[in-house]
Amino acid sequence: MEVPLSLLWLLVAPGVLWTGGDTFETHIIGGHEAAPYSRPYMVSLRKAGSHLCGGVLVHPQWVLTAAHCVAQRTQQLRLVLGLHTLRDPGLTFRARAAILHPEYKPAPHLENDLALLQLDGKVRRSRTIQALALPRGRQAVAVGARCSVAGWGLTQQGGKLARALRELDVRVLDTRMCNNSRFWHGGIAPGMVCLAAEAKNQAPCKGDSGGPLVCDKGHLAGVLSFSSTSCTDIFKPPVATAVAPYVSWIKKTIRRWPARLAPEALGSP
């Protein structure tokens, strides 16, 4: 299924619509600043020193993010953990490997928009750095579920990245409604989750891609994928990739991928 490219503003850092070489940025509009280090699984993906996307630590050596954030070479990519503000020193790693889901379809489809990044070292659990558990079952998030998203994306349309981590409460919308001709017009594929905030002027935005959707405290429900060019357009609600249907792929990849792989390995195991 295609999502009209003219409507997409992928959740990547400051940017340009994805056309094969450029990236984009998504930030949370509305919401509030998170309590410092209350989300110790958050990761900032950076290129040339600038925040590009969010990510989620799911294992001492693995980060889950959106595939469109890392569809290019990862030599310059850095993953920074243990942050509250983007200026915090944090703990920085290189990406030893970037494994895109084998059925990932880039824009304008953005199906199976997940990638695993292998850190070039293992992290030790601490107050500021902890992995977030994967879902227990394969069931996607229920319609009406109350969830939250978090990121360092834009705090207003056309504005700047958030100084400190922000979070926003959202609810899960009915997929059939999201696929209505007034909304995403059939662009929401199985495995995607439509979201809406309580207020119409609140939404994730550029720079928030790859960040977590958390519905059951302590478990990862989804990864932010895309939204409209106007982040708060109520007829083009933000979309995440549900994680539950991909748990077996995530676990298999982590289990089988060589621990001493050379940097810059791209592809599927």
Side-chain angles (χ1 to χ4, degrees), residues 52-105:
L52 178 71
C53 283
V56 188
L57 186 70
V58 294
H59 177 277
Q61 201 174 2
W62 291 88
V63 169
L64 186 67
T65 188
H68 74 256
C69 292
V70 295
Q72 304 169 49
R73 292 177 62 83
T74 59
Q75 188 174 17
Q76 295 181 330
L77 193 65
R78 299 292 182 269
L79 296 88
V80 188
L81 289 71
L83 299 177
H84 177 59
T85 75
L86 288 177
R87 292 185 177 181
D88 290 343
L91 189 61
T92 301
F93 293 87
R94 294 175 182 265
R96 177 173 293 190
I99 301 96
L100 278 59
H101 189 275
E103 296 180 19
Y104 166 61
K105 294 182 180 180

Side-chain angles (χ1 to χ4, degrees), residues 105-126:
K105 294 182 180 180
H109 303 276
L110 284 178
E111 294 182 29
N112 308 301
D113 189 18
L114 291 177
L116 280 162
L117 299 175
Q118 186 184 41
L119 305 177
D120 64 351
K122 287 188 176 181
V123 299
R124 292 183 178 180
R125 180 186 173 99
S126 68

